[in-house]
Amino acid sequence: MTSFEFTWNNGAQAAGKVFARKKSTPKQKQTGATTAPTKFAPKKAPEAGIARNKSFELIEKQQEKISSNTGSEQYVKRKQKKDKLAAKAGDGNQQISRETSEKSASTSHSLFAVKHKDIYVNTNIRGKSVVEKVFSGEKKFTDLQIHKYLVANLQKHSFVNLTNVQEKSIPEILSGKNVLIRSQTGSGKTLAYALPIMDALLSIDPRLQRQDGVQVIIVVPTRELALQTHEIFGKINTFQWLVIGHLCGGENRKTEKDRLRKGVHVVIGTPGRLLDHILHTSAFKIDNVKCLVLDEADRLLDMGFKKDIVKIVEELDRTREHSDYDPMAMLLHKKTQEIKTESDESLPPLRSRNSKNRQTILLSATLNKGIAELADFLMKNHTYIDTLDDSPNINPDHMVIPNTVTQEFIMTHIKHRLFTLSALLLAKAKHKVFVFMATSQMVDYHYELFMKYLAKMPKNRGKLKIGNVTLLENENFEDSDEEEQCVLDTEFFKLHGSMDQGIRKKVFTEFKAAKRGILLSTDVAARGVDVPEADCIIQYTGPQSDDDYLHRVGRTGRAGKSGSSLIFLTHEEQEYIARLQDHKVFLKERDSSEFLKHLCILMEEPEEEKAATALQRRFETALSKDKDLHRLACFAYSSWSRFYNTFPGKMRSIFNFKTINLGHYVTSFGLKETPSSVAKIIKGQVATVQPRRLNKKLATHGDEEEVKPQKRKIKSVSLTTSEFASGLEPKKKKNKRKT
């Protein structure tokens, strides 16, 4: 071996080692290109190295021929070299590059580039659910000993047969007993106490006058339930001398004061507003209250109204004690008063004008320790009514849900949540649907998104395409209102606690009256609200407690009617199915592909993945152009993350904020940003909002940021001058130094 061959071989080996250690570039990782570490990689020599010789050039040309024939690159090349190879390759390589670019364009959206995840929870477990009969027999309202006009009013509104809870409760309430009623949602609990109350008030002789004041107070947790209860009383009350009123937060207090001043016999209200009027409205006289009703008591405790309820009861007791002292009766009509009191005490409290007793009625869909403690505080002796036949043998942890409700779940990838919900709403467009979401910001965002970009679609969607990019994404096409058409024959509604009271009342009334519609709501509509023909419940976010699930599902299948409930779960949340099985609730799996077919029709795409991707791109494009909608999306994601991070300890192992992929959840809101970028946007939005200025006349404290101007100190000369002085400033004496 000559010295030239020896040095050449060593140099080649060294060059091979260097190129073998070279890492793939980021661009190489994205395109999926692989590098084969060969001995002779085409790379320029370093600046301090020796220039290439002819042997390297021959080997390089040979490698270029091999790569051009096979159509695949085996090593890293610089951009100039790639351009030269593409020019030499001709039409063959151009065809290959066109196919690869089209393939990369079609798979550029990573919606379906997710790993397959298995469902490891056994969903085939079937057991005996706890079933409560809504109608126990054929007993009718005509069989009860109540006012004949009340029966006629019930028949006008198709109330004929008694439900199980009504059959057991009404006779006990008519007799004046304190009762604790546990019954499932939608079983007719409101009418179970409304009917005997009205019958008792009608039996008072002489008739009640407005100046007799409040006789009954009914406490409910939400404004919607207060309006609904007032409506039920209005259906059976056609008697002009009996006045029913309601007090709700958000209403005009002056109007409510005028109503109370004129005189109301039955007051229905939320705890906060009731207590406000009891303490501050002199026209609200509660010394004659003979019946107190707490409806949806479990919800009242969950919402933190326990202190308000205790305060209301204390005020009722205090006013009753002070009203016992009647000096005129003691001096003038002592004997007749004693006889009248004895005769009145034998009657139920509501049927006597001068009775000092008070009847208490407590109703709840669930029974727990808090309800038991509240019942012991409110009532000394009470009758417990449970509509389950074998209630002593039932575990209190078992949920009671009507057997007329079909309960299902959808297991989706996180990225698929938004378009899967859209597909489900398309499938249920002809029904009346509740969609429960975690926060009010989520409700606002999805309402605006669906109203603008799901209910309305461009006319030429999916028909005219340029490559793989449809005209759906063209700016001029999106902004053209004339080219859009309404594709959903239904109406969207939204309801949450942050809305104005007047708007909430209007939305609730319109949704109840509508034949079909989709209501996006928080849990403010999950308790006690009765919406006729509501046949589908969708839980887009998981409930924070088992009772929340029970009451959400209870919005359908009411009074023996059929309904369906469907909950969205991700693969990380599938343990919730097993938790419900422990409560004797068994869910069936529903395949999301059944609903994605509706997206194919909507987007005019033959394949489900293409249709879903097109809809997701439409939402993302809308967010990039609509700044207000983008802001709503950011706030919706931020509020959802706070909600998800505050699950109670019992549920945190299932809905674990630390183990979820936040980036995928950002995509489920239609956002392209990262979670940290959304957080920065939220901080910027909050920083630009000016703090609310307090009314100086009403505020007890000032703004912290406000810097008060320092007043200049003025020296008073009134204490240092004589009354005979001229008022001029005295001359300053010079200090004479002692010599």
Side-chain angles (χ1 to χ4, degrees):
M1 179 183 294
T2 62
S3 61
F4 175 78
E5 291 175 350
F6 177 76
T7 56
W8 183 84
N9 287 333
N10 289 339
Q13 290 176 3
K17 291 179 181 178
V18 171
F19 290 114
R21 288 197 303 267
K22 180 174 177 61
K23 296 182 180 180
S24 59
T25 61
K27 186 175 182 180
Q28 190 178 355
K29 290 180 180 179
Q30 292 177 359
T31 56
T34 58
T35 61
T38 58
K39 282 187 176 182
F40 311 106
K43 183 179 179 182
K44 292 183 179 181
E47 295 179 0
I50 304 173
R52 290 182 177 177
N53 51 27
K54 294 182 179 180
S55 300
F56 275 103
E57 294 178 358
L58 292 173
I59 295 171
E60 182 179 346
K61 290 181 180 179
Q62 187 176 2
Q63 293 286 353
E64 291 175 2
K65 290 180 180 179
I66 294 171
S67 63
S68 62
N69 292 332
T70 57
S72 62
E73 299 174 292
Q74 300 295 328
Y75 44 85
V76 179
K77 302 182 183 65
R78 294 187 181 274
K79 189 174 184 300
Q80 295 179 356
K81 189 64 64 178
K82 286 184 178 181
D83 296 338
K84 291 180 181 179
L85 289 174
K88 292 179 181 178
D91 297 335
N93 276 352
Q94 289 180 2
Q95 182 67 25
I96 294 172
S97 62
R98 188 183 300 112
E99 292 176 358
T100 55
S101 63
E102 290 177 358
K103 184 177 180 181
S104 63
S106 62
T107 60
S108 60
H109 208 295
S110 59
L111 275 178
F112 294 91
V114 290
K115 295 180 180 179
H116 176 73
K117 297 181 180 180
D118 296 326
I119 301 177
Y120 55 84
V121 173
N122 189 359
T123 59
N124 295 323
I125 296 178
R126 289 291 175 268
K128 186 178 179 181
S129 301
V130 182
V131 179
E132 175 185 331
K133 295 180 181 179
V134 179
F135 295 94
S136 59
E138 297 181 354
K139 197 169 183 179
K140 299 181 179 180
F141 287 102
T142 53
D143 300 331
L144 299 174
Q145 296 180 356
I146 57 177
H147 202 285
K148 60 180 181 179
Y149 290 148
L150 287 176
V151 177
N153 293 335
L154 290 169
Q155 292 177 348
K156 288 180 182 178
H157 296 91
S158 302
F159 293 116
V160 179
N161 295 324
L162 284 168
T163 63
N164 194 11
V165 65
Q166 292 166 358
E167 183 179 349
K168 293 183 177 181
S169 303
I170 290 178
E172 300 292 336
I173 299 175
L174 284 172
S175 63
K177 295 180 181 179
N178 299 327
V179 293
L180 170 60
I181 303 172
R182 194 224 62 81
S183 182
Q184 66 182 9
T185 59
S187 58
K189 293 192 295 293
T190 305
L191 201 60
Y193 66 81
L195 196 61
I197 286 174
M198 292 298 301
D199 182 71
L201 295 178
L202 287 172
S203 66
I204 297 176
D205 189 27
R207 291 179 180 178
L208 286 174
Q209 303 296 323
R210 281 183 176 265
Q211 58 267 23
D212 291 329
V214 180
Q215 306 291 313
V216 182
I217 291 181
I218 301 171
V219 186
V220 295
T222 62
R223 305 168 187 172
E224 285 72 26
L225 186 54
L227 295 174
Q228 178 180 292
T229 305
H230 186 270
E231 182 182 354
I232 292 175
F233 270 90
K235 289 180 179 180
I236 61 177
N237 179 32
T238 56
F239 312 97
Q240 296 181 355
W241 66 89
L242 292 179
V243 184
I244 316 295
H246 68 275
L247 307 174
C248 299
E251 296 280 357
N252 190 338
R253 292 185 77 258
K254 186 177 183 303
T255 304
E256 292 178 344
K257 283 184 178 181
D258 295 339
R259 194 182 306 151
L260 293 172
R261 191 177 294 109
K262 291 179 181 178
V264 181
H265 298 124
V266 179
V267 174
I268 307 161
T270 52
R273 182 51 65 94
L274 276 171
L275 185 59
D276 183 17
H277 281 290
I278 289 174
L279 297 177
H280 303 105
T281 303
S282 59
F284 191 20
K285 303 295 184 181
I286 58 175
D287 51 347
N288 290 327
V289 174
K290 301 178 180 66
C291 182
L292 175 65
V293 181
L294 269 69
D295 199 358
E296 297 289 343
D298 51 350
R299 180 61 172 168
L300 287 169
L301 295 181
D302 292 341
M303 295 177 67
F305 289 129
K306 184 177 180 179
K307 291 183 179 180
D308 292 342
I309 295 171
V310 171
K311 185 64 175 176
I312 290 172
V313 175
E314 289 177 350
E315 289 295 321
L316 290 174
D317 294 339
R318 186 182 63 81
T319 54
R320 180 56 58 94
E321 290 175 0
H322 287 286
S323 65
D324 288 342
Y325 179 71
D326 191 354
M328 295 300 295
M330 293 173 63
L331 294 174
L332 301 176
H333 306 286
K334 185 176 181 180
K335 292 184 179 180
T336 56
Q337 188 70 20
E338 289 177 356
I339 296 172
K340 190 174 183 181
T341 304
E342 289 177 0
S343 61
D344 287 343
E345 290 298 330
S346 62
L347 296 173
L350 264 179
R351 299 180 183 273
S352 173
R353 281 182 172 272
N354 301 312
S355 176
K356 300 303 179 183
N357 297 327
R358 185 175 66 242
Q359 184 181 13
T360 304
I361 304 170
L362 197 66
L363 303 102
S364 177
T366 59
L367 186 63
N368 51 35
K369 184 179 179 181
I371 298 296
E373 292 176 352
L374 184 62
D376 293 338
F377 170 75
L378 295 175
M379 304 174 285
K380 294 180 180 179
N381 300 316
H382 66 272
T383 302
Y384 175 60
I385 298 174
D386 197 330
T387 51
L388 286 173
D389 296 332
D390 52 352
S391 57
N393 302 323
I394 295 298
N395 189 334
D397 292 335
H398 293 170
M399 293 186 187
V400 182
I401 296 176
N403 55 358
T404 56
V405 178
T406 303
Q407 301 180 73
E408 300 170 327
F409 71 92
I410 289 183
M411 194 75 71
T412 63
H413 294 283
I414 300 173
K415 289 184 177 182
H416 299 177
R417 284 170 55 86
L418 185 57
F419 65 76
T420 304
L421 175 63
S422 304
L424 184 56
L425 295 182
L426 290 171
K428 301 291 184 179
K430 296 182 179 180
H431 300 78
K432 187 173 283 190
V433 184
F434 278 91
V435 182
F436 288 104
M437 295 183 174
T439 65
S440 57
Q441 288 88 348
M442 287 185 66
V443 172
D444 288 333
Y445 163 63
H446 287 91
Y447 174 79
E448 294 294 332
L449 183 70
F450 293 154
M451 282 284 291
K452 294 180 180 179
Y453 300 100
L454 181 64
K456 298 178 181 179
M457 283 286 172
K459 292 183 178 180
N460 298 325
R461 62 190 180 280
K463 294 181 179 179
L464 302 175
K465 294 185 178 182
I466 303 174
N468 284 313
V469 181
T470 63
L471 286 179
L472 193 66
E473 299 180 358
N474 191 356
E475 292 188 10
N476 298 329
F477 194 81
E478 284 281 349
D479 296 336
S480 175
D481 296 335
E482 299 178 357
E483 297 295 333
E484 290 187 349
Q485 61 180 353
C486 184
V487 295
L488 268 180
D489 188 17
T490 189
E491 188 175 358
F492 282 94
F493 302 88
K494 68 173 181 177
L495 188 67
H496 56 76
S498 300
M499 296 171 60
D500 182 72
Q501 172 60 19
I503 299 176
R504 281 177 62 175
K505 185 187 296 186
K506 180 181 178 183
V507 169
F508 182 66
T509 305
E510 291 179 352
F511 181 66
K512 287 188 67 173
K515 293 183 178 179
R516 63 181 68 174
I518 299 172
L519 176 65
L520 308 179
S521 173
T522 58
D523 283 334
V524 71
R527 302 288 184 114
V529 175
D530 183 22
V531 178
E533 300 176 0
D535 49 6
C536 183
I537 305 298
I538 300 174
Q539 301 186 54
Y540 190 56
T541 52
Q544 284 199 326
S545 67
D546 298 323
D547 290 344
D548 288 341
Y549 177 86
L550 175 68
H551 287 282
R552 285 177 174 183
V553 175
R555 296 314 97 212
T556 186
R558 302 178 68 83
K561 297 180 181 179
S562 61
S564 63
S565 171
L566 196 146
I567 184 171
F568 275 70
L569 294 172
T570 63
H571 294 83
E572 294 79 10
E573 300 168 347
Q574 56 184 298
E575 285 291 340
Y576 189 63
I577 301 171
R579 181 178 178 85
L580 290 177
Q581 291 172 355
D582 295 337
H583 292 285
K584 295 298 180 181
V585 176
F586 306 98
L587 305 183
K588 297 180 181 179
E589 184 181 3
R590 194 73 181 270
D591 190 1
S592 59
S593 61
E594 300 178 21
F595 305 110
L596 294 181
K597 295 178 181 178
H598 295 272
L599 290 184
C600 297
I601 301 174
L602 178 71
M603 307 306 297
E604 298 182 1
E605 289 283 357
E607 299 179 8
E608 295 175 1
E609 291 189 5
K610 289 184 177 180
T613 303
L615 183 61
Q616 183 76 15
R617 284 178 175 173
R618 173 172 171 79
F619 290 155
E620 292 176 354
T621 305
L623 292 180
S624 62
K625 297 174 183 177
D626 193 337
K627 293 182 179 179
D628 293 335
L629 188 63
H630 184 269
R631 182 179 58 84
L632 286 176
C634 292
F635 276 97
Y637 166 77
S638 179
S639 64
W640 167 86
S641 62
R642 292 194 302 271
F643 165 84
Y644 206 92
N645 198 21
T646 56
F647 269 90
K650 295 180 180 179
M651 309 285 287
R652 193 165 295 177
S653 60
I654 301 172
F655 303 94
N656 193 348
F657 184 78
K658 296 180 180 179
T659 59
I660 60 176
N661 191 325
L662 292 178
H664 289 182
Y665 271 105
V666 170
T667 304
S668 70
F669 282 84
L671 294 165
K672 295 182 179 180
E673 291 84 0
T674 61
S676 58
S677 300
V678 176
K680 292 179 181 178
I681 294 173
I682 294 296
K683 289 180 180 179
Q685 291 285 343
V686 173
T688 56
V689 176
Q690 294 182 356
R692 187 177 178 182
R693 299 184 65 86
L694 298 175
N695 190 336
K696 294 182 179 180
K697 295 181 180 180
L698 301 179
T700 58
H701 62 279
D703 296 335
E704 295 180 358
E705 297 180 356
E706 184 180 358
V707 179
K708 295 182 179 181
Q710 295 182 355
K711 295 182 179 180
R712 189 180 62 182
K713 294 182 179 180
I714 301 175
K715 293 182 180 180
S716 176
V717 297
S718 62
L719 300 177
T720 59
T721 58
S722 171
E723 58 180 322
F724 302 105
S726 62
L728 299 175
E729 292 184 2
K731 295 181 179 180
K732 293 182 180 180
K733 295 181 180 181
K734 297 181 179 180
N735 293 330
K736 296 181 179 180
R737 294 181 181 179
K738 294 181 180 181
T739 57

